[in-house]
Amino acid sequence: MDVLVTISLDHDMLAPIEARHVVTAHSGHGPMDRDTLVSLIGDKEGLLCTITDRVDESLLKRANRLRVVANYGVGYDNIHLEACTKRGIAVSNTPDVLTDATADLTFALILAVARRVVEGDNMVRQKGFQAWTPFGFLGTEVSGKTLGIIGLGRIGKAVARRAKGFGMAVLYYQRSRLSPEEEEALCVEYADLYDLLGQSDFVSLHVPLTDKTRHLIGRRELDHMRPTAFLINTSRGPVVDEEALVEALEKGTISGAGLDVYEKEPEVHPGLLGKENTVLLPHMGSATMETRKKMAQRAIQNLLLGLEEKRPPDCLNWEQLKGQKIP
Ligand code: DGY
């Protein structure tokens, strides 16, 4: 079958796909540009794509032979799932394998923004380390503080486990509450969104991007946060109204923000760039060699099984596809 791979993978990684299928693979470090994707999709039965490729109606209209979409990434807001299901296309993502890497980076952001790590590094490089002083680079203690986690899925739970090591109290908010046993095991306490915002020293976002979570954190929610608190986002940029965030940082409504994702990614709001109370990363939550390799292996496994019409382990729409007559 004909397969399009929009990321540049090592030869060893591509080999199992090439052994069974005719592969067109992207080369080069950047993402495959939209026009190339659109021009190549027409005769493909399989697509291994990344979170920057939009698999939307306009692409699907040209993808008459497409049967399988394997997303290299856990978030799949880049894919119009219902439109794929309607066309009989199996869609999968790469959960689990990036949980720890993303939770680690969440803590890197918490520590960096609270302890002014990037500011300190910049000063040493640009002006030199003049002298230790009792009042130099005073930050905010992380240990023993309250962490509010919005979205206690796999990554949110991994963040909660790390917070325990820092002696933090953990509040969480999501639509469905965990069982009392699970809450006890994770040492987390359920709170209503606005209670969580008002009580947390750090608010960390771990929800997928959906119509319901877009701008979940806006002006009103930021106003509920403490002026000493920090907002951390390693989920998806549009979960936060960036305009409102810039305003909150300027007015001192909150103390700072640690961001790995942006509303109009890869664009970063210019109002964020000059602020010392922000730490800004280029969407690198899952960027460890070990995790990226596992993501590739998982996406390839999903792709190959899907093309054999077997259930990919991470299929997102298998039940809906079952029984549906594939045109
Ligand atoms: C994902 O997988 O959704 C991350 O944002 C990138 O690895």
Coordinates of all heavy atoms in Angstrom, one line a residue, residues 101-175:
A101 N 8.0 12.1 30.4 CA 8.8 13.2 29.9 C 8.1 14.6 30.0 O 8.6 15.6 30.4 CB 9.2 13.0 28.4
T102 N 6.8 14.5 29.8 CA 6.0 15.8 29.8 C 5.8 16.2 31.3 O 5.9 17.4 31.6 CB 4.6 15.6 29.1 OG1 4.9 15.0 27.8 CG2 3.8 16.9 29.0
A103 N 5.6 15.2 32.2 CA 5.5 15.6 33.6 C 6.8 16.2 34.1 O 6.8 17.1 34.9 CB 5.1 14.4 34.4
D104 N 7.9 15.6 33.7 CA 9.2 16.1 34.1 C 9.4 17.6 33.6 O 9.8 18.5 34.4 CB 10.4 15.3 33.5 CG 10.5 13.9 34.1 OD1 9.9 13.7 35.1 OD2 11.3 13.1 33.5
L105 N 9.0 17.8 32.4 CA 9.1 19.2 31.9 C 8.2 20.2 32.6 O 8.5 21.3 32.8 CB 8.9 19.3 30.4 CG 9.4 20.6 29.8 CD1 10.9 20.5 29.4 CD2 8.6 21.1 28.7
T106 N 7.0 19.7 33.0 CA 6.1 20.5 33.8 C 6.8 21.0 35.0 O 6.8 22.2 35.4 CB 4.9 19.7 34.1 OG1 4.3 19.3 32.9 CG2 3.9 20.6 34.9
F107 N 7.5 20.1 35.7 CA 8.2 20.5 36.9 C 9.4 21.3 36.6 O 9.8 22.2 37.4 CB 8.6 19.2 37.7 CG 7.7 19.2 38.9 CD1 6.5 18.5 38.9 CD2 8.0 19.9 40.1 CE1 5.6 18.5 39.9 CE2 7.2 19.9 41.2 CZ 6.0 19.2 41.1
A108 N 10.1 21.1 35.4 CA 11.2 22.0 35.0 C 10.7 23.4 34.9 O 11.3 24.4 35.4 CB 11.8 21.5 33.7
L109 N 9.5 23.6 34.4 CA 8.9 24.9 34.2 C 8.5 25.5 35.6 O 8.7 26.7 35.8 CB 7.6 24.9 33.3 CG 7.9 24.9 31.8 CD1 6.6 24.7 31.0 CD2 8.5 26.3 31.4
I110 N 7.9 24.7 36.4 CA 7.5 25.2 37.8 C 8.8 25.7 38.5 O 8.8 26.8 39.0 CB 6.9 24.0 38.6 CG1 5.5 23.7 38.0 CG2 6.8 24.4 40.1 CD1 4.8 22.5 38.7
L111 N 9.8 24.9 38.5 CA 11.1 25.3 39.2 C 11.7 26.5 38.5 O 12.2 27.4 39.2 CB 12.0 24.1 39.2 CG 11.6 23.0 40.2 CD1 12.3 21.7 39.9 CD2 11.7 23.4 41.6
A112 N 11.7 26.5 37.2 CA 12.4 27.5 36.4 C 11.8 28.9 36.7 O 12.5 29.9 36.9 CB 12.4 27.2 34.9
V113 N 10.4 28.9 36.7 CA 9.8 30.2 36.8 C 9.8 30.7 38.3 O 9.9 31.8 38.5 CB 8.4 30.2 36.1 CG1 7.3 29.4 36.9 CG2 7.9 31.6 35.8
A114 N 9.6 29.7 39.2 CA 9.6 30.1 40.6 C 10.9 30.5 41.1 O 11.1 31.4 41.9 CB 9.0 28.9 41.4
R115 N 12.0 29.8 40.6 CA 13.3 30.0 41.2 C 14.2 30.9 40.2 O 15.4 31.0 40.4 CB 14.0 28.7 41.5 CG 13.3 27.9 42.6 CD 13.2 28.7 43.9 NE 14.5 29.1 44.3 CZ 15.3 28.4 45.0 NH1 15.0 27.2 45.4 NH2 16.5 28.8 45.4
R116 N 13.6 31.5 39.2 CA 14.2 32.4 38.3 C 15.5 31.9 37.7 O 16.5 32.5 37.5 CB 14.5 33.7 39.1 CG 13.2 34.3 39.7 CD 13.4 35.5 40.6 NE 14.0 36.6 39.8 CZ 14.3 37.8 40.4 NH1 14.1 37.9 41.7 NH2 14.8 38.7 39.7
V117 N 15.4 30.6 37.3 CA 16.5 29.9 36.7 C 17.1 30.5 35.5 O 18.3 30.7 35.3 CB 16.2 28.4 36.5 CG1 17.3 27.7 35.8 CG2 15.8 27.7 37.8
V118 N 16.1 30.9 34.6 CA 16.5 31.4 33.3 C 17.1 32.8 33.4 O 18.1 33.1 32.8 CB 15.4 31.4 32.3 CG1 15.8 32.0 30.9 CG2 14.8 30.0 32.1
E119 N 16.5 33.6 34.3 CA 17.0 34.9 34.6 C 18.4 34.9 35.1 O 19.3 35.6 34.7 CB 16.2 35.6 35.6 CG 15.0 36.3 35.2 CD 14.2 37.0 36.4 OE1 14.7 38.0 36.8 OE2 13.3 36.3 36.8
G120 N 18.7 33.9 36.0 CA 20.0 33.8 36.7 C 21.0 33.4 35.6 O 22.1 33.9 35.5
D121 N 20.6 32.4 34.8 CA 21.5 31.9 33.7 C 21.9 33.1 32.8 O 23.1 33.3 32.4 CB 20.9 30.8 33.0 CG 21.7 30.2 31.8 OD1 21.6 30.8 30.7 OD2 22.5 29.3 32.1
N122 N 20.9 33.9 32.4 CA 21.1 35.0 31.5 C 22.1 36.0 32.1 O 22.9 36.5 31.4 CB 19.8 35.7 31.1 CG 19.0 34.9 30.1 OD1 19.5 34.1 29.4 ND2 17.7 35.2 30.0
M123 N 21.9 36.2 33.4 CA 22.7 37.2 34.0 C 24.2 36.8 34.0 O 25.1 37.5 33.7 CB 22.3 37.6 35.4 CG 22.9 38.8 35.9 SD 23.3 38.8 37.7 CE 24.4 37.5 37.9
V124 N 24.4 35.5 34.4 CA 25.8 35.0 34.4 C 26.5 35.1 33.1 O 27.6 35.5 32.9 CB 25.8 33.5 35.0 CG1 27.2 32.9 34.8 CG2 25.3 33.5 36.4
R125 N 25.7 34.7 32.0 CA 26.3 34.8 30.7 C 26.5 36.2 30.2 O 27.5 36.5 29.6 CB 25.4 34.1 29.7 CG 25.3 32.6 29.8 CD 24.2 32.0 28.9 NE 23.9 30.7 29.5 CZ 24.6 29.6 29.2 NH1 25.7 29.6 28.4 NH2 24.2 28.4 29.7
Q126 N 25.5 37.1 30.5 CA 25.6 38.4 29.9 C 26.4 39.4 30.7 O 27.1 40.2 30.1 CB 24.2 38.9 29.6 CG 23.5 38.2 28.4 CD 22.0 38.3 28.4 OE1 21.5 39.2 29.0 NE2 21.4 37.4 27.7
K127 N 26.3 39.3 32.0 CA 26.9 40.4 32.8 C 28.0 39.8 33.7 O 28.7 40.5 34.4 CB 25.9 41.1 33.7 CG 24.8 41.8 32.9 CD 24.0 42.7 33.7 CE 22.9 43.4 33.0 NZ 21.6 43.4 33.7
G128 N 28.1 38.5 33.8 CA 29.0 37.8 34.7 C 28.4 37.7 36.1 O 27.5 38.4 36.4
F129 N 29.0 36.8 36.8 CA 28.5 36.5 38.2 C 29.3 37.4 39.1 O 30.5 37.2 39.4 CB 28.7 35.0 38.5 CG 28.4 34.6 40.0 CD1 27.6 35.4 40.8 CD2 28.9 33.4 40.5 CE1 27.3 35.0 42.1 CE2 28.6 33.1 41.8 CZ 27.8 33.9 42.6
Q130 N 28.7 38.5 39.6 CA 29.4 39.6 40.3 C 29.7 39.1 41.8 O 30.9 39.0 42.1 CB 28.7 40.9 40.4 CG 28.2 41.4 39.0 CD 29.3 41.8 38.1 OE1 30.4 42.2 38.6 NE2 29.1 41.6 36.8
A131 N 28.7 38.7 42.5 CA 28.9 38.3 43.9 C 27.6 37.7 44.4 O 26.5 38.1 44.0 CB 29.3 39.6 44.7
W132 N 27.8 36.8 45.4 CA 26.6 36.3 46.1 C 26.1 37.4 47.0 O 26.9 38.1 47.7 CB 27.0 35.1 46.9 CG 25.8 34.5 47.6 CD1 25.1 33.5 47.2 CD2 25.3 34.8 48.9 NE1 24.1 33.1 48.1 CE2 24.2 34.0 49.2 CE3 25.7 35.7 49.9 CZ2 23.5 34.0 50.4 CZ3 24.9 35.8 51.1 CH2 23.8 34.9 51.3
T133 N 24.8 37.6 47.0 CA 24.2 38.6 48.0 C 23.0 38.0 48.6 O 22.3 37.2 48.0 CB 23.8 39.9 47.3 OG1 22.7 39.7 46.5 CG2 24.9 40.6 46.5
P134 N 22.7 38.4 49.8 CA 21.5 37.8 50.5 C 20.2 38.1 49.8 O 19.2 37.3 49.9 CB 21.5 38.5 51.9 CG 22.8 39.2 52.0 CD 23.3 39.4 50.7
F135 N 20.2 39.1 48.9 CA 18.9 39.4 48.3 C 18.9 39.2 46.8 O 17.9 39.6 46.1 CB 18.5 40.8 48.6 CG 18.4 41.0 50.1 CD1 19.4 41.8 50.8 CD2 17.5 40.4 50.9 CE1 19.4 42.0 52.1 CE2 17.5 40.6 52.3 CZ 18.4 41.4 52.9
G136 N 19.9 38.6 46.3 CA 20.0 38.4 44.8 C 19.1 37.3 44.4 O 19.0 36.2 45.0
F137 N 18.3 37.5 43.3 CA 17.5 36.5 42.7 C 16.6 35.7 43.6 O 16.4 34.5 43.5 CB 18.4 35.5 41.9 CG 18.8 36.1 40.6 CD1 20.1 36.7 40.5 CD2 18.0 36.2 39.5 CE1 20.5 37.3 39.4 CE2 18.4 36.8 38.3 CZ 19.7 37.3 38.3
L138 N 15.9 36.5 44.5 CA 15.0 35.8 45.4 C 13.8 35.4 44.6 O 13.2 36.1 43.8 CB 14.5 36.8 46.4 CG 15.5 37.3 47.4 CD1 14.9 38.1 48.5 CD2 16.3 36.1 48.1
G139 N 13.5 34.1 44.7 CA 12.3 33.5 44.0 C 11.3 33.1 45.0 O 11.2 33.6 46.1
T140 N 10.5 32.2 44.6 CA 9.4 31.6 45.4 C 9.7 30.2 45.7 O 10.1 29.4 44.8 CB 8.1 31.7 44.6 OG1 7.9 33.1 44.2 CG2 6.9 31.2 45.4
E141 N 9.5 29.8 47.0 CA 9.7 28.4 47.4 C 8.7 27.5 46.6 O 7.5 27.9 46.5 CB 9.5 28.3 48.9 CG 9.9 27.1 49.5 CD 11.3 27.2 50.2 OE1 11.9 28.3 50.1 OE2 11.7 26.2 50.8
V142 N 9.1 26.3 46.2 CA 8.2 25.4 45.6 C 7.8 24.3 46.6 O 6.6 24.0 46.7 CB 8.9 24.7 44.3 CG1 8.0 23.6 43.8 CG2 9.2 25.7 43.2
S143 N 8.7 23.8 47.4 CA 8.4 22.8 48.4 C 7.4 23.3 49.3 O 7.4 24.4 49.8 CB 9.7 22.5 49.2 OG 10.7 21.9 48.3
G144 N 6.4 22.4 49.6 CA 5.4 22.6 50.6 C 4.2 23.5 50.1 O 3.3 23.8 50.8
K145 N 4.3 24.0 48.8 CA 3.2 24.8 48.3 C 2.0 24.0 47.8 O 2.1 22.8 47.8 CB 3.8 25.7 47.2 CG 4.8 26.8 47.7 CD 4.1 27.9 48.5 CE 5.1 28.8 49.1 NZ 5.8 29.7 48.2
T146 N 1.0 24.7 47.3 CA -0.1 24.0 46.8 C -0.1 24.1 45.2 O 0.0 25.2 44.6 CB -1.4 24.7 47.3 OG1 -1.4 24.6 48.7 CG2 -2.7 24.1 46.7
L147 N -0.3 22.9 44.7 CA -0.3 22.8 43.2 C -1.7 22.5 42.8 O -2.3 21.5 43.3 CB 0.7 21.7 42.8 CG 0.6 21.3 41.3 CD1 1.1 22.4 40.4 CD2 1.5 20.0 41.0
G148 N -2.3 23.2 41.9 CA -3.6 22.9 41.3 C -3.4 22.3 39.9 O -2.9 23.0 39.0
I149 N -3.9 21.1 39.8 CA -3.8 20.4 38.5 C -5.2 20.4 37.8 O -6.2 19.9 38.3 CB -3.3 19.0 38.6 CG1 -1.9 19.0 39.3 CG2 -3.3 18.3 37.3 CD1 -1.3 17.6 39.5
I150 N -5.2 21.0 36.6 CA -6.5 21.0 35.9 C -6.4 19.9 34.8 O -5.5 20.1 33.9 CB -6.8 22.4 35.3 CG1 -6.9 23.4 36.4 CG2 -8.0 22.4 34.4 CD1 -7.2 24.8 36.0
G151 N -7.1 18.8 35.0 CA -7.0 17.7 34.0 C -6.1 16.6 34.7 O -4.9 16.7 34.5
L152 N -6.7 15.7 35.4 CA -5.9 14.7 36.1 C -6.0 13.4 35.3 O -6.4 12.3 35.7 CB -6.4 14.5 37.5 CG -5.4 13.9 38.5 CD1 -4.3 14.9 38.7 CD2 -6.1 13.5 39.8
G153 N -5.5 13.4 34.0 CA -5.4 12.2 33.2 C -4.0 11.7 33.4 O -3.4 11.9 34.5
R154 N -3.5 11.0 32.5 CA -2.1 10.3 32.7 C -1.1 11.3 33.1 O -0.3 11.1 34.0 CB -1.7 9.7 31.3 CG -2.5 8.5 30.9 CD -1.9 7.9 29.6 NE -2.8 7.1 28.9 CZ -3.7 7.5 28.0 NH1 -3.8 8.8 27.7 NH2 -4.6 6.7 27.4
I155 N -1.0 12.4 32.3 CA 0.1 13.4 32.6 C -0.1 14.1 33.9 O 0.8 14.3 34.7 CB 0.3 14.3 31.4 CG1 0.8 13.5 30.1 CG2 1.4 15.4 31.7 CD1 0.8 14.3 28.8
G156 N -1.4 14.5 34.1 CA -1.8 15.2 35.3 C -1.4 14.4 36.6 O -0.9 14.8 37.5
K157 N -1.7 13.1 36.5 CA -1.4 12.2 37.6 C 0.1 12.0 37.8 O 0.6 12.0 38.9 CB -2.0 10.8 37.3 CG -3.5 10.7 37.5 CD -4.0 9.3 37.2 CE -5.5 9.3 37.4 NZ -6.1 8.2 36.7
A158 N 0.9 12.0 36.7 CA 2.3 11.9 36.8 C 2.9 13.2 37.5 O 3.9 13.1 38.2 CB 3.0 11.6 35.4
V159 N 2.3 14.3 37.2 CA 2.7 15.6 37.8 C 2.4 15.5 39.3 O 3.2 15.9 40.1 CB 2.0 16.8 37.1 CG1 2.2 18.1 37.9 CG2 2.5 16.9 35.7
A160 N 1.2 15.0 39.6 CA 0.8 14.9 41.1 C 1.8 14.0 41.8 O 2.1 14.3 42.9 CB -0.6 14.3 41.2
R161 N 2.2 12.9 41.2 CA 3.2 12.0 41.9 C 4.5 12.7 42.1 O 5.1 12.6 43.2 CB 3.4 10.7 41.0 CG 2.3 9.7 41.1 CD 2.7 8.4 40.5 NE 2.7 8.4 39.1 CZ 1.6 8.2 38.3 NH1 0.5 7.9 38.9 NH2 1.7 8.2 37.0
R162 N 4.9 13.5 41.2 CA 6.2 14.3 41.4 C 6.0 15.3 42.5 O 6.9 15.6 43.3 CB 6.6 15.0 40.1 CG 7.3 14.0 39.1 CD 7.1 14.4 37.7 NE 7.8 13.5 36.8 CZ 7.3 12.3 36.5 NH1 6.2 11.8 37.0 NH2 8.0 11.5 35.7
A163 N 4.8 15.9 42.6 CA 4.5 17.0 43.5 C 4.7 16.4 45.0 O 5.1 17.1 45.9 CB 3.1 17.6 43.3
K164 N 4.3 15.2 45.1 CA 4.4 14.5 46.4 C 5.9 14.6 46.9 O 6.1 14.8 48.1 CB 4.0 13.1 46.3 CG 3.5 12.4 47.5 CD 2.9 11.1 47.1 CE 2.8 10.2 48.3 NZ 2.4 8.8 48.0
G165 N 6.8 14.4 46.0 CA 8.2 14.4 46.4 C 8.7 15.8 46.8 O 9.7 16.0 47.5
F166 N 7.9 16.8 46.4 CA 8.2 18.2 46.8 C 7.4 18.6 48.0 O 7.3 19.8 48.4 CB 7.9 19.2 45.7 CG 9.0 19.2 44.6 CD1 9.0 18.2 43.6 CD2 10.0 20.1 44.7 CE1 10.0 18.2 42.7 CE2 11.0 20.1 43.7 CZ 11.1 19.2 42.7
G167 N 6.7 17.7 48.6 CA 5.9 17.9 49.8 C 4.7 18.9 49.5 O 4.3 19.7 50.4
M168 N 4.2 18.9 48.3 CA 3.2 19.9 47.9 C 1.8 19.3 48.2 O 1.6 18.1 48.1 CB 3.3 20.2 46.4 CG 4.6 20.9 46.0 SD 4.7 21.1 44.2 CE 4.1 22.9 44.1
A169 N 0.9 20.2 48.5 CA -0.5 19.8 48.6 C -1.1 19.8 47.2 O -0.7 20.8 46.4 CB -1.3 20.7 49.5
V170 N -1.8 18.9 46.7 CA -2.3 18.9 45.3 C -3.8 18.9 45.3 O -4.5 18.0 45.8 CB -1.8 17.6 44.5 CG1 -2.3 17.7 43.1 CG2 -0.3 17.6 44.6
L171 N -4.3 19.9 44.6 CA -5.8 20.0 44.3 C -5.9 19.7 42.8 O -5.0 19.9 42.0 CB -6.3 21.5 44.5 CG -6.1 22.1 45.9 CD1 -6.5 23.5 45.9 CD2 -6.9 21.3 46.9
Y172 N -7.1 19.1 42.5 CA -7.3 18.8 41.1 C -8.7 19.2 40.7 O -9.6 19.1 41.5 CB -6.9 17.4 40.7 CG -8.0 16.4 41.0 CD1 -8.9 15.9 40.1 CD2 -8.1 15.9 42.3 CE1 -9.9 15.0 40.4 CE2 -9.1 14.9 42.7 CZ -10.0 14.5 41.7 OH -10.9 13.6 42.0
Y173 N -8.9 19.5 39.4 CA -10.2 19.8 38.9 C -10.3 19.1 37.5 O -9.4 19.2 36.7 CB -10.5 21.3 38.7 CG -11.7 21.6 37.9 CD1 -13.0 21.4 38.4 CD2 -11.5 21.9 36.5 CE1 -14.1 21.6 37.6 CE2 -12.6 22.1 35.7 CZ -13.9 22.0 36.2 OH -15.0 22.1 35.5
Q174 N -11.4 18.4 37.3 CA -11.8 17.9 36.0 C -13.2 17.6 36.0 O -13.8 17.6 37.1 CB -10.9 16.7 35.6 CG -11.1 15.5 36.4 CD -10.1 14.4 36.0 OE1 -9.3 14.5 35.2 NE2 -10.3 13.2 36.6
R175 N -13.8 17.2 34.9 CA -15.2 17.0 34.9 C -15.6 15.8 35.8 O -16.6 15.9 36.5 CB -15.7 16.8 33.4 CG -16.1 18.1 32.8 CD -16.6 17.9 31.4 NE -15.6 17.1 30.7 CZ -16.0 16.3 29.6 NH1 -17.2 16.3 29.2 NH2 -15.0 15.6 29.0

